[in-house]
Amino acid sequence: MLFDTHVHMNARQFIEDRDEVIKRAFDTGVHYMVVVGFDRETIPLAIEIAEQYETIYAAVGWHPVDAIDMTDDDLAWIEELSSHPKVVAIGEMGLDYHWDKSPKDVQKEVFRKQIQLAKKVNMPIIIHNREATEDIIQILEEEDAKEVGGIMHCYNDSVQYVQQCLDMNFYISLGGPVTFKNAPLPKEVAAEVPMDRLLVETDAPFLAPHPNRGKRNEPAYVKLVAEKIAEIRGISFEEISENTTKNAFTLFGLDVK
Ligand SMILES: [Zn+2]
């Protein structure tokens, strides 16, 4: 049983065949997933998909690339949706310094507001981080995000920051890049993260793992991620599978179905 902790089944890439893709995941042993909404279009769809499937959950938040578009009404809307029975986390949120659509100060402000909201509704946070690890850690510390904890989604920085994340009650989630031949960092992280803080994800439709790199990603491929981590740690696939699923249940506060 695997739990894909970060998937965008609400993306336009799945409009044609969403139900088939989800069925393929279930058939591969990926029984659980969190569909992550990140703007006005993808948030309602994440909830709609979660309502359709008993073992699919939703997260609601605002993406840092589009931080400049978020209004106070959007924030109030996210707060309202957080009480939906299938919503298990606030996010994705964070900082993305790769794209410059939203200025850094706007991204930081929107990030802080969402952390405060997550603390208010007492839900874990899902962090999107691109080229911004140090600023993210600083803001999480300043806003005392430790109170709710959460996920460093698709963690892609060096091992040196992992302990600070763990100290703030964050889990480290690894995705497709751990399988990439030219990506040493996530492999080092895969070897180092304590077993009780490790999660797996796809971030589908993005970041498909080897040997599907460059193609559309889908939740069934989280198996390839888990297999690679098992190989790196020298343990069985079952052990990775069981533990990462148990960790996801603990973090999201779910009961096993
Ligand atoms: Zn995402």
Side-chain angles (χ1 to χ4, degrees):
M1 261 193 333
L2 283 161
F3 197 135
D4 186 346
T5 60
H6 195 113
V7 62
H8 299 290
M9 294 314 301
N10 47 353
R12 58 185 156 71
Q13 287 90 335
F14 294 116
I15 288 172
E16 303 274 314
D17 59 349
R18 183 184 303 125
D19 291 333
E20 285 164 51
V21 173
I22 290 173
K23 183 172 186 302
R24 220 158 29 233
F26 290 162
D27 290 345
T28 314
V30 185
H31 289 292
Y32 304 96
M33 51 188 101
V34 171
V35 178
V36 180
F38 51 83
D39 62 18
R40 261 164 240 139
E41 281 78 47
T42 58
I43 287 172
L45 196 47
I47 292 183
E48 194 184 309
I49 296 166
E51 283 172 342
Q52 248 180 295
Y53 293 92
E54 198 184 1
T55 56
I56 298 182
Y57 301 88
V60 293
W62 207 267
H63 203 283
V65 169
D66 303 313
I68 197 149
D69 300 327
M70 196 190 80
T71 64
D72 288 346
D73 283 350
D74 292 320
L75 194 67
W77 178 55
I78 291 170
E79 180 174 349
E80 194 187 308
L81 291 174
S82 70
S83 64
H84 186 286
K86 295 302 288 284
V87 171
V88 293
I90 305 297
E92 55 189 301
M93 65 171 85
L95 300 174
D96 190 317
Y97 292 169
H98 185 75
W99 306 106
D100 56 10
K101 178 184 166 186
S102 300
K104 287 184 184 179
D105 58 327
V106 175
Q107 290 194 37
K108 287 178 181 176
E109 186 61 27
V110 164
F111 183 25
R112 285 184 192 274
K113 282 181 178 170
Q114 290 186 85
I115 299 169
Q116 289 157 13
L117 165 62
K119 287 171 68 182
K120 188 174 168 193
V121 299
N122 194 28
M123 287 189 128
I125 295 167
I126 298 175
I127 300 289
H128 170 103
N129 167 19
R130 197 153 179 204
E131 298 160 21
T133 309
E134 288 188 351
D135 284 0
I136 284 187
I137 288 175
Q138 189 190 341
I139 289 175
L140 289 173
E141 279 172 350
E142 284 172 8
E143 296 293 336
D144 200 21
K146 188 180 182 181
E147 210 180 276
V148 285
I151 301 176
M152 303 305 288
H153 138 62
C154 203
Y155 185 88
N156 207 20
D157 208 328
S158 75
V159 150
Q160 75 173 110
Y161 299 105
V162 166
Q163 191 56 48
Q164 279 169 286
C165 299
L166 299 176
D167 289 345
M168 289 189 290
N169 290 329
F170 276 77
Y171 288 68
I172 306 293
S173 185
L174 296 173
V178 79
T179 69
F180 296 170
K181 288 193 162 58
N182 57 352
L185 292 184
K187 293 188 188 69
E188 287 166 26
V189 172
E192 293 288 325
V193 175
M195 185 61 101
D196 63 353
R197 291 297 192 88
L198 185 64
L199 298 171
V200 288
E201 65 167 88
T202 56
D203 200 18
F206 315 108
L207 294 172
H210 176 81
N212 304 314
R213 191 173 181 179
K215 296 188 190 144
R216 183 184 71 167
N217 199 1
E218 60 175 74
Y221 299 165
V222 80
K223 191 172 181 207
L224 298 167
V225 173
E227 282 171 349
K228 186 67 189 182
I229 297 174
E231 181 196 314
I232 291 167
R233 292 178 81 110
I235 59 174
S236 70
F237 165 74
E238 288 70 26
E239 202 176 337
I240 287 292
S241 176
E242 257 171 53
N243 280 284
T244 53
T245 298
K246 193 174 79 187
N247 293 342
F249 271 78
T250 305
L251 170 69
F252 294 126
L254 300 171
D255 299 318
V256 183
K257 284 216 172 64

